[in-house]
Amino acid sequence: MSLINDIKHSRKPLAGFLVIGCAWATCFAQMPAIKAGIGASDAVLGTAILVSSMGALAAMWLAPFADRVAGRWAMPVFACAVGAGMIGAGAATEVIAFTLGMLLAATGSGVVDVLVNVRVSEIEARTGRKLMNLNHALYSFTYAGAALATGAFRELGWTPLQVFALLGAVVAVLAWMTLEARTPPEMETEIPQGAAMPHGLVWLAGLLVMVAFLSEASAEGWSALHLERTLGGGAAEGALGPAILGLTMGIGRLAGHIIAHRVTDTVMMICALLLSGFGLALAGAAPTLGIAYLGFGLGGLGISVLAPVTLALVGRIVPPKARLAAISRASVLGYGAFFLGPPLMGFTSELFGLRAAFFVIAAVLIIACATIVPALARGVRRNELAV
């Protein structure tokens, strides 16, 4: 019953999470077909996604502005921008058109992402319930379902444009569901001087979110290519990669929601990084599709809780009026993953193969476990003592 009540409490931002999950699962599960349609190499595809990711960076400034100017209409408008961008990318026959479509989708997705995390953080403060992992879990389950559906449509011969047109209709319904009954209270766009959490700690949390997004985006965006090209899988077998990632990330986040009151944030972060690093390394080394699926499953299960736990931590330790500013800054640094990930995966794959690219991401996760998590934990303890 408490789970149902938690969903009811956060149903408006949850619809925004579902928009993002449906859109990017549909995109990544079709990446082999999209890549072939625009005639791009691994390096060119990575560069195109890199350029389009500037939209995510714009979310740092657009999210507070949209929240202040558009109020309750901010999430619906930018959710529709996600759908429109994806349809444009699906209709593209050239790299430039694909990049522009992805730019619009990434901009809308970045703004929606920041706003839904802020809304959930506000609801957590108001109700006393930890809801971040639950919402991210439902996002992941939606991602898995959308990826599987996309694989089925590909097997039936649907083109990317046809799939994205269906996505547009789904996004329109979800966008309407995000509309709040009244305008949320205005949030500060700057962290007040003397606030309980120093700027350095916000950016350190953002760096950990970046590692989470880097591994998540790399696995989601390149798993289908790895399964189809490196291991010889078909369209449906390739789509299983993003689907398994989404499913296991949903399971991990749901488990995180259940045990959040019993396990410290630091322990969850360390376990997440180690398990995900092992899983992605296993996927990279996999000799068969089955082993690769296992690796991606472990990778998704591990990394699932890292971003929501970190963002929830940021929301809890800053003053209420600073939540939008703090989460926006942590998120935008996390979006740096979309700048580092595509060229890192694309050029590593071009030079050494996709197996090596997944090994590199696994190494990044292990390094973060040994450096960023201890530094963040020390900073949080100092901040709590200062308060």
Side-chain angles (χ1 to χ4, degrees):
M1 184 62 69
S2 62
L3 186 64
I4 295 175
N5 288 334
D6 287 343
I7 293 173
K8 288 180 179 178
H9 282 312
S10 56
R11 64 188 182 279
K12 295 293 185 181
L14 175 59
F17 277 109
L18 302 188
V19 167
I20 303 171
C22 286
W24 292 106
T26 302
C27 177
F28 289 140
Q30 295 186 97
M31 196 55 72
I34 293 171
K35 181 176 179 291
I38 60 176
S41 66
D42 285 356
V44 170
L45 180 64
T47 303
I49 298 175
L50 168 64
V51 173
S52 68
S53 296
M54 288 189 295
L57 182 62
M60 176 178 179
W61 293 275
L62 280 175
F65 176 77
D67 186 67
R68 184 172 62 254
V69 174
R72 69 194 189 106
W73 290 97
M75 274 200 287
V77 168
F78 282 91
C80 288
V82 176
M86 288 294 178
I87 291 173
T93 56
E94 297 178 351
V95 173
I96 293 177
F98 168 76
T99 303
L100 292 175
M102 293 293 287
L103 176 61
L104 178 60
T107 302
S109 181
V111 174
V112 172
D113 196 3
V114 171
L115 291 179
V116 294
N117 280 292
V118 171
R119 298 288 185 263
V120 171
S121 185
E122 291 169 351
I123 297 167
E124 284 185 328
R126 188 172 68 247
T127 63
R129 299 287 301 173
K130 289 188 176 182
L131 304 170
M132 196 69 79
N133 267 313
L134 173 63
N135 279 266
H136 281 256
L138 294 173
Y139 154 85
S140 295
F141 286 133
T142 300
Y143 187 102
L148 284 172
T150 301
F153 288 135
R154 285 183 64 199
E155 286 287 344
L156 291 173
W158 284 38
T159 66
L161 180 57
Q162 289 174 316
V163 176
F164 281 130
L166 178 59
L167 169 70
V170 173
V171 166
V173 174
L174 290 172
W176 180 254
M177 292 172 63
T178 67
L179 183 63
E180 306 205 37
R182 56 185 178 275
T183 300
E186 185 173 332
M187 307 293 288
E188 298 290 339
T189 57
E190 296 295 334
I191 298 177
Q193 292 292 327
M197 185 168 122
H199 291 271
L201 194 52
V202 177
W203 292 113
L204 191 60
L207 193 60
L208 194 58
V209 175
M210 182 178 71
V211 172
F213 285 172
L214 177 65
S215 58
E216 185 177 336
S218 297
E220 289 173 346
W222 298 82
S223 57
L225 279 172
H226 180 53
L227 292 165
E228 292 182 32
R229 190 176 67 194
T230 308
L231 298 173
E237 290 168 321
L240 268 178
I244 288 172
L245 280 161
L247 179 61
T248 55
M249 288 182 72
I251 293 171
R253 286 167 173 167
L254 194 58
H257 175 70
I258 294 170
I259 67 173
H261 299 279
R262 301 178 180 87
V263 179
T264 66
D265 293 336
T266 301
V267 170
M268 290 182 72
M269 291 172 181
I270 291 173
C271 292
L273 289 162
L274 292 176
L275 182 58
S276 185
F278 173 75
L280 292 185
L282 180 63
T288 65
L289 287 169
I291 299 298
Y293 291 146
L294 175 62
F296 286 129
L298 293 175
L301 190 64
I303 207 61
S304 60
V305 299
L306 188 58
V309 164
T310 305
L311 291 172
L313 177 66
V314 171
R316 287 199 304 272
I317 62 179
V318 298
K321 287 203 168 193
R323 281 198 192 100
L324 178 56
I327 291 178
S328 179
R329 281 156 176 71
S331 295
V332 79
L333 185 54
Y335 293 146
F338 297 103
F339 286 86
L340 294 175
L344 181 63
M345 292 293 290
F347 288 109
T348 302
S349 174
E350 193 84 7
L351 294 172
F352 305 107
L354 268 172
R355 293 185 185 277
F358 285 112
F359 293 152
V360 170
I361 300 300
V364 170
L365 289 164
I366 301 303
I367 292 170
C369 182
T371 57
I372 303 175
V373 174
L376 180 61
R378 287 193 298 269
V380 170
R381 283 196 297 271
R382 285 196 300 268
N383 184 71
E384 291 173 345
L385 290 174
V387 175

